[in-house]
Amino acid sequence: MITLASDFGTPYPAAMKGVMLRRTDARLVDVAHDFPRQDVRAAAFWLREVLPQFPPAVHLVVVDPGVGTDRAALAVRAGDHALVGPDNGVLVPAARELADGAGLDAFEVDDEGAASSTFHGRDVFAPAAARVHEAGVDAVSDLDGVAPTDEFVDLRFPDPVVDDDEATGEILAVDDFGNAVTNVPGGFVDGADEAAVNGERAPVAPSYAHVEAGQRLVTVGSHGNVELAVNRGRGDEAFGVAPGDAVRLET
Protein backbone atom coordinates (compact mmCIF):
# COMPACT_ATOMS: atom_id res chain seq x y z
CA MET A 1 0.00 0.00 0.00
CA ILE A 2 1.12 3.54 -0.79
CA THR A 3 -0.75 6.48 0.74
CA LEU A 4 -0.70 9.94 -0.79
CA ALA A 5 -1.02 13.27 1.00
CA SER A 6 -0.44 16.77 -0.35
CA ASP A 7 -1.69 20.34 -0.57
CA PHE A 8 -2.09 19.99 -4.34
CA GLY A 9 -5.85 19.90 -4.75
CA THR A 10 -6.37 18.66 -8.33
CA PRO A 11 -5.19 17.51 -10.87
CA TYR A 12 -1.59 17.08 -9.71
CA PRO A 13 -2.15 13.99 -7.49
CA ALA A 14 -3.33 12.11 -10.59
CA ALA A 15 0.06 12.64 -12.21
CA MET A 16 1.80 11.18 -9.14
CA LYS A 17 -0.51 8.17 -9.25
CA GLY A 18 0.20 7.66 -12.93
CA VAL A 19 3.94 7.66 -12.31
CA MET A 20 3.60 5.09 -9.53
CA LEU A 21 1.22 2.85 -11.44
CA ARG A 22 3.82 2.53 -14.18
CA ARG A 23 6.23 1.18 -11.58
CA THR A 24 4.16 -0.80 -9.09
CA ASP A 25 0.81 -2.50 -8.66
CA ALA A 26 0.57 -1.26 -5.07
CA ARG A 27 -2.81 -0.19 -3.76
CA LEU A 28 -2.89 3.64 -3.77
CA VAL A 29 -4.87 5.33 -1.00
CA ASP A 30 -5.49 9.08 -0.78
CA VAL A 31 -5.15 10.58 2.69
CA ALA A 32 -5.85 14.20 1.74
CA HIS A 33 -4.89 16.64 -0.97
CA ASP A 34 -6.45 19.71 0.61
CA PHE A 35 -4.05 20.41 3.47
CA PRO A 36 -3.61 24.17 3.98
CA ARG A 37 -1.44 25.35 1.13
CA GLN A 38 2.29 25.41 1.96
CA ASP A 39 1.55 24.92 5.68
CA VAL A 40 4.12 22.31 6.68
CA ARG A 41 3.21 22.29 10.36
CA ALA A 42 -0.53 21.78 9.81
CA ALA A 43 0.13 18.87 7.45
CA ALA A 44 2.62 17.37 9.90
CA PHE A 45 0.06 17.56 12.71
CA TRP A 46 -2.74 15.87 10.78
CA LEU A 47 -0.43 13.20 9.38
CA ARG A 48 0.72 12.39 12.91
CA GLU A 49 -2.92 11.79 13.80
CA VAL A 50 -3.94 9.88 10.66
CA LEU A 51 -1.05 7.71 9.47
CA PRO A 52 -0.82 5.52 12.61
CA GLN A 53 -4.32 4.24 11.74
CA PHE A 54 -2.90 2.49 8.65
CA PRO A 55 -1.33 -0.95 8.44
CA PRO A 56 2.31 -1.01 7.31
CA ALA A 57 2.63 1.14 4.20
CA VAL A 58 4.75 3.61 2.26
CA HIS A 59 3.48 7.15 2.78
CA LEU A 60 4.10 9.74 0.06
CA VAL A 61 3.80 13.26 1.47
CA VAL A 62 4.24 16.41 -0.62
CA VAL A 63 3.74 19.75 1.11
CA ASP A 64 6.77 21.44 -0.33
CA PRO A 65 7.03 25.23 -0.38
CA GLY A 66 10.79 24.85 -0.96
CA VAL A 67 10.48 22.81 -4.16
CA GLY A 68 13.32 23.53 -6.57
CA THR A 69 15.66 24.85 -3.86
CA ASP A 70 18.51 23.02 -2.16
CA ARG A 71 16.22 21.35 0.38
CA ALA A 72 16.83 17.60 0.39
CA ALA A 73 14.46 14.79 -0.55
CA LEU A 74 14.02 12.17 2.16
CA ALA A 75 12.90 8.63 2.76
CA VAL A 76 12.38 7.86 6.44
CA ARG A 77 12.02 4.34 7.82
CA ALA A 78 9.79 4.22 10.91
CA GLY A 79 9.03 0.76 12.21
CA ASP A 80 7.13 -1.15 9.52
CA HIS A 81 6.40 2.05 7.61
CA ALA A 82 8.35 4.36 5.33
CA LEU A 83 7.66 8.00 4.52
CA VAL A 84 8.88 9.79 1.39
CA GLY A 85 8.83 13.54 0.88
CA PRO A 86 10.71 16.82 1.26
CA ASP A 87 13.15 17.50 4.09
CA ASN A 88 11.19 20.33 5.68
CA GLY A 89 9.91 18.58 8.80
CA VAL A 90 6.57 17.44 7.38
CA LEU A 91 7.46 13.73 7.68
CA VAL A 92 8.99 13.71 11.14
CA PRO A 93 6.11 13.92 13.67
CA ALA A 94 4.22 11.10 11.93
CA ALA A 95 7.41 9.08 11.57
CA ARG A 96 8.14 9.37 15.30
CA GLU A 97 4.61 8.21 16.08
CA LEU A 98 4.90 5.27 13.68
CA ALA A 99 8.28 4.31 15.11
CA ASP A 100 6.60 3.93 18.53
CA GLY A 101 9.65 4.87 20.56
CA ALA A 102 12.25 3.37 18.26
CA GLY A 103 14.69 5.53 16.36
CA LEU A 104 14.21 6.85 12.86
CA ASP A 105 16.38 5.86 9.91
CA ALA A 106 16.57 8.74 7.44
CA PHE A 107 17.94 8.56 3.91
CA GLU A 108 18.61 11.35 1.45
CA VAL A 109 17.17 10.61 -1.99
CA ASP A 110 19.05 11.84 -5.04
CA ASP A 111 16.85 14.39 -6.78
CA GLU A 112 19.34 15.46 -9.44
CA GLY A 113 18.03 15.34 -12.97
CA ALA A 114 14.36 15.84 -12.11
CA ALA A 115 12.38 16.73 -15.21
CA SER A 116 10.85 19.76 -13.50
CA SER A 117 12.02 22.12 -10.78
CA THR A 118 8.45 22.80 -9.70
CA PHE A 119 6.85 19.34 -9.47
CA HIS A 120 9.08 17.03 -7.46
CA GLY A 121 5.95 15.21 -6.30
CA ARG A 122 5.75 13.70 -9.77
CA ASP A 123 9.42 13.64 -10.73
CA VAL A 124 11.20 12.73 -7.47
CA PHE A 125 8.91 11.59 -4.68
CA ALA A 126 6.43 9.42 -6.60
CA PRO A 127 9.17 7.33 -8.26
CA ALA A 128 10.99 7.07 -4.93
CA ALA A 129 7.84 5.90 -3.12
CA ALA A 130 7.25 3.24 -5.78
CA ARG A 131 10.85 2.04 -5.51
CA VAL A 132 10.65 1.82 -1.72
CA HIS A 133 7.41 -0.14 -1.96
CA GLU A 134 8.81 -2.59 -4.48
CA ALA A 135 12.06 -3.10 -2.56
CA GLY A 136 10.40 -3.33 0.85
CA VAL A 137 10.77 -0.99 3.80
CA ASP A 138 13.72 -2.93 5.24
CA ALA A 139 15.66 -2.59 1.98
CA VAL A 140 15.51 1.21 1.66
CA SER A 141 19.21 1.48 2.40
CA ASP A 142 20.03 -0.81 -0.54
CA LEU A 143 18.41 1.35 -3.20
CA ASP A 144 20.55 3.22 -5.69
CA GLY A 145 20.65 6.97 -5.16
CA VAL A 146 19.79 6.68 -1.47
CA ALA A 147 22.26 7.60 1.28
CA PRO A 148 21.84 7.48 5.07
CA THR A 149 21.75 10.85 6.81
CA ASP A 150 21.61 12.09 10.39
CA GLU A 151 20.81 15.62 9.30
CA PHE A 152 17.18 16.44 8.62
CA VAL A 153 14.68 19.09 9.66
CA ASP A 154 13.31 17.87 12.98
CA LEU A 155 9.92 19.53 13.32
CA ARG A 156 8.54 19.40 16.85
CA PHE A 157 5.34 20.93 18.16
CA PRO A 158 5.66 23.44 21.02
CA ASP A 159 5.00 22.27 24.56
CA PRO A 160 2.40 24.09 26.66
CA VAL A 161 3.09 25.51 30.10
CA VAL A 162 0.61 23.88 32.46
CA ASP A 163 0.03 24.75 36.11
CA ASP A 164 -2.73 23.49 38.37
CA ASP A 165 -5.49 25.74 37.03
CA GLU A 166 -3.83 27.64 34.19
CA ALA A 167 -2.28 26.58 30.89
CA THR A 168 -0.58 28.67 28.24
CA GLY A 169 -0.41 27.02 24.87
CA GLU A 170 -0.85 27.52 21.16
CA ILE A 171 -3.33 26.72 18.41
CA LEU A 172 -1.74 23.91 16.41
CA ALA A 173 -4.35 23.50 13.69
CA VAL A 174 -7.92 24.27 12.67
CA ASP A 175 -9.93 21.56 10.94
CA ASP A 176 -12.50 22.05 8.20
CA PHE A 177 -15.28 22.36 10.78
CA GLY A 178 -13.50 25.27 12.43
CA ASN A 179 -12.49 23.32 15.51
CA ALA A 180 -9.31 24.91 16.89
CA VAL A 181 -6.90 22.30 18.24
CA THR A 182 -4.55 23.46 21.00
CA ASN A 183 -1.39 21.81 22.27
CA VAL A 184 -2.83 21.67 25.80
CA PRO A 185 -3.44 18.07 26.92
CA GLY A 186 -7.04 17.14 27.47
CA GLY A 187 -6.38 16.16 31.07
CA PHE A 188 -6.13 19.85 31.92
CA VAL A 189 -9.93 20.22 31.78
CA ASP A 190 -10.77 16.92 33.50
CA GLY A 191 -13.54 17.51 36.01
CA ALA A 192 -14.10 21.15 35.00
CA ASP A 193 -17.57 22.45 34.18
CA GLU A 194 -16.24 25.51 32.39
CA ALA A 195 -12.98 27.13 31.36
CA ALA A 196 -11.82 30.62 30.51
CA VAL A 197 -10.25 30.95 27.06
CA ASN A 198 -8.18 34.13 26.88
CA GLY A 199 -10.35 35.47 29.69
CA GLU A 200 -13.76 34.53 28.26
CA ARG A 201 -15.56 31.62 29.89
CA ALA A 202 -17.18 28.71 28.04
CA PRO A 203 -18.62 25.38 29.16
CA VAL A 204 -16.47 22.27 29.11
CA ALA A 205 -18.44 19.50 27.39
CA PRO A 206 -17.69 15.92 26.29
CA SER A 207 -18.94 16.53 22.74
CA TYR A 208 -20.32 19.26 20.52
CA ALA A 209 -24.00 18.39 20.89
CA HIS A 210 -23.84 18.68 24.68
CA VAL A 211 -24.43 22.43 24.21
CA GLU A 212 -27.03 24.30 22.22
CA ALA A 213 -26.50 24.89 18.50
CA GLY A 214 -24.36 27.98 18.00
CA GLN A 215 -22.92 27.85 21.52
CA ARG A 216 -19.19 27.86 22.19
CA LEU A 217 -17.57 25.03 24.11
CA VAL A 218 -14.26 23.63 25.24
CA THR A 219 -13.84 19.92 24.66
CA VAL A 220 -11.20 17.24 24.19
CA GLY A 221 -10.80 16.09 20.59
CA SER A 222 -9.99 12.63 19.30
CA HIS A 223 -6.33 13.71 19.24
CA GLY A 224 -6.39 14.02 23.04
CA ASN A 225 -5.85 17.79 23.15
CA VAL A 226 -8.12 20.60 24.30
CA GLU A 227 -10.19 21.89 21.41
CA LEU A 228 -12.15 25.15 21.05
CA ALA A 229 -15.38 24.59 19.19
CA VAL A 230 -18.93 25.70 18.45
CA ASN A 231 -21.82 23.28 18.10
CA ARG A 232 -22.71 23.55 14.40
CA GLY A 233 -20.42 26.55 13.99
CA ARG A 234 -16.77 27.54 13.78
CA GLY A 235 -14.72 27.62 16.93
CA ASP A 236 -11.84 29.54 15.35
CA GLU A 237 -14.14 32.43 14.50
CA ALA A 238 -16.07 32.39 17.77
CA PHE A 239 -12.91 32.36 19.90
CA GLY A 240 -10.99 34.65 17.54
CA VAL A 241 -8.02 32.32 17.04
CA ALA A 242 -5.92 30.97 14.18
CA PRO A 243 -3.07 28.47 13.87
CA GLY A 244 0.02 29.75 15.66
CA ASP A 245 -1.92 32.00 18.05
CA ALA A 246 -1.19 31.83 21.75
CA VAL A 247 -4.05 30.70 23.98
CA ARG A 248 -4.48 30.92 27.76
CA LEU A 249 -6.83 28.50 29.50
CA GLU A 250 -8.02 28.72 33.10
CA THR A 251 -10.29 26.36 35.03
Side-chain angles (χ1 to χ4, degrees), residues 11-237:
Y12 299 111
M16 294 193 296
K17 290 181 180 180
V19 166
M20 289 189 289
L21 289 172
R22 295 207 316 267
R23 293 164 169 81
T24 176
D25 60 359
R27 179 183 179 192
L28 305 182
V29 178
D30 291 306
V31 173
H33 296 292
D34 57 355
F35 285 133
R37 297 291 170 86
Q38 302 184 341
D39 190 336
V40 171
R41 194 174 78 155
F45 173 79
W46 293 118
L47 291 168
R48 187 189 69 174
E49 299 303 311
V50 171
L51 295 188
Q53 308 305 317
F54 281 88
V58 175
H59 305 287
L60 170 59
V61 179
V62 193
V63 178
D64 192 16
V67 63
T69 68
D70 61 358
R71 67 98 185 90
L74 286 184
V76 180
R77 186 165 55 203
D80 295 330
H81 298 253
L83 300 92
V84 176
D87 180 20
N88 59 15
V90 71
L91 307 177
V92 176
R96 291 197 189 285
E97 196 74 15
L98 291 166
D100 195 24
L104 303 181
D105 297 315
F107 304 88
E108 189 166 336
V109 178
D110 182 9
D111 60 0
E112 292 294 326
S116 167
S117 61
T118 61
F119 195 2
H120 282 186
R122 178 194 67 192
D123 299 333
V124 176
F125 302 125
R131 291 173 62 209
V132 171
H133 181 273
E134 291 303 286
V137 169
D138 291 336
V140 174
S141 57
D142 300 328
L143 294 173
D144 291 337
V146 170
T149 182
D150 293 324
E151 297 183 1
F152 54 87
V153 177
D154 188 3
L155 190 157
R156 294 178 184 265
F157 300 112
D159 293 323
V161 177
V162 181
D163 294 324
D164 289 340
D165 57 0
E166 183 174 340
T168 301
E170 186 174 316
I171 304 298
L172 294 181
V174 175
D175 68 17
D176 285 350
F177 292 97
N179 301 317
V181 182
T182 77
N183 63 342
V184 177
F188 176 73
V189 296
D190 280 353
D193 293 325
E194 62 177 14
V197 180
N198 294 336
E200 298 185 11
R201 304 200 72 82
V204 175
S207 69
Y208 313 110
H210 277 78
V211 302
E212 296 295 326
Q215 185 177 356
R216 302 190 309 171
L217 69 145
V218 176
T219 191
V220 179
S222 60
H223 36 69
N225 291 357
V226 172
E227 185 177 284
L228 313 179
V230 170
N231 182 18
R232 304 187 191 183
R234 295 192 63 90
D236 58 340
E237 295 175 357

